[in-house]
Amino acid sequence: MANIKILGIVMLIDSYDRVVDYLRVSVTERCNFRCTYCMPEKPFSWVPKENLLSFEELFEFMKVAIDEGIKKIRITGGEPLLREDLDKFIKMIYDYEPSIDLAMTTNAFLLKGTAQRLKDAGLKRINVSIDTLKPEVAQEIAGKNVLKNVLEGVEEALKVGLKVKVNMVPMNTVNVNEIVDVLEYCKERDMSVRFIEYMENKHAKEGISGLKSPELLAILKEKYEFVDEGFDGTSPSHYYKMKDGYRFGIIEPYADDFCTKCNRIRLTAEGNLIPCLYFDEAMSISESIKRGDIKGAAAVLKEVVRTKPEKNRWGGDDDEISTRAFYETGG
Ligand code: SAM
Ligand code: SF4
């Protein structure tokens, strides 16, 4: 199964009966940070600029995806704010279908000075990566002195009325002692925080030891009382609610049931459509889009949805490690 119409509504449905309505679009693999868990070194070579899809070409595919049943689009990267005229791309999507849930994931370094333009263009929400509130730890994780710009970017985003969520990747010996501090920083600003379990991959720096959900919960239980709220819709986050109503989430890709409700596919900046974050498999929409073959692009989209695997292999029994680069897929 890949595409059906129920009561006039078009939906993309995969072979495990999951509705796929969420597209993550990486607009560049380039990044101004060198995060240890993602891109500790500049890659041997970047995708040549001429292989990247222009915003007009990407937009042609966004229209196909929306017409086939995509309801949520998240712009990501690499660092999406490195790509010039991002606000114009956002506006193209918004003008085509204002009801689309338009979000972006960013390291926020360049957000100050751009947040208002992005909001005006139609962006609704952003997720910002904040792994620490200590400048020297931020330098250790990102490879440069980034914290001041990041925090100023977050303040500006809140000021212009963007909804902000924070992502933190907790790592032993690096930022494990800041889990409560980051939560408090978010709580004070009414931003939800999601702790992401470090996902092993071949591009990350060797020796990273990420915290798993039980370890995180043990740390948080020392300070807070909270109840397990389980999953919320198709969000990959397992939510917990504190006594005062504040909710935090944990993203647990190693858990058995993590993929049960997966509703997402990913598009790289050069037009490869990826059914699962873990695996290398992908199909290109680039040629169809470049020659204006809308039906061809739609056929690739349906095939990618049809071949979406049931589960990732994080936490599997074998020693295999994902070769997918997070900076390429957009996380
Ligand atoms: N540059 C933007 C940023 O950092 O938010 C967007 C791209 S980044 C690849 C998207 C998300 O992937 C970030 O929240 C980042 O923390 C997460 N990420 C990257 N590598 C990861 C890994 N190995 N394990 C878990 N999360 C990872
Ligand atoms: Fe860049 Fe985001 Fe990867 Fe860090 S996590 S290197 S900011 S793409």
Side-chain angles (χ1 to χ4, degrees), residues 252-315:
E252 310 158 319
Y254 291 81
D256 264 357
D257 57 353
F258 182 71
C259 305
T260 338
K261 290 198 201 150
C262 184
N263 64 339
R264 59 202 62 195
I265 51 174
R266 295 169 165 83
L267 182 70
T268 69
E270 55 179 333
N272 292 323
L273 204 52
I274 300 170
C276 173
L277 180 62
Y278 184 98
F279 296 98
D280 268 340
E281 279 71 16
M283 284 179 78
S284 177
I285 50 104
S286 175
E287 276 190 23
S288 325
I289 286 295
K290 281 181 192 292
R291 57 168 192 266
D293 175 8
I294 298 307
K295 277 196 182 144
V300 174
L301 170 61
K302 287 173 200 166
E303 183 60 9
V304 164
V305 169
R306 193 188 68 76
T307 57
K308 192 170 159 56
E310 185 178 13
K311 283 177 84 161
N312 71 47
R313 274 203 211 132
W314 277 294

Side-chain angles (χ1 to χ4, degrees), residues 37-38 76-79 105-106 129 167 169 197-199 201 326 330:
Y37 48 73
C38 178
T76 174
E79 177 43 43
T105 301
T106 173
S129 302
N167 293 334
V169 180
E197 289 182 351
Y198 164 64
M199 289 170 249
N201 68 90
F326 277 73

Side-chain angles (χ1 to χ4, degrees), residues 31 33-35 37-39 77-79 107 129 327:
C31 192
F33 286 16
R34 292 289 174 268
C35 300
Y37 48 73
C38 178
M39 191 203 290
E79 177 43 43
N107 62 30
S129 302
Y327 57 82

Side-chain angles (χ1 to χ4, degrees), residues 311-331:
K311 283 177 84 161
N312 71 47
R313 274 203 211 132
W314 277 294
D317 294 333
D318 42 28
D319 292 333
E320 193 187 355
I321 296 182
S322 174
T323 51
R324 270 267 174 243
F326 277 73
Y327 57 82
E328 188 196 6
T329 57

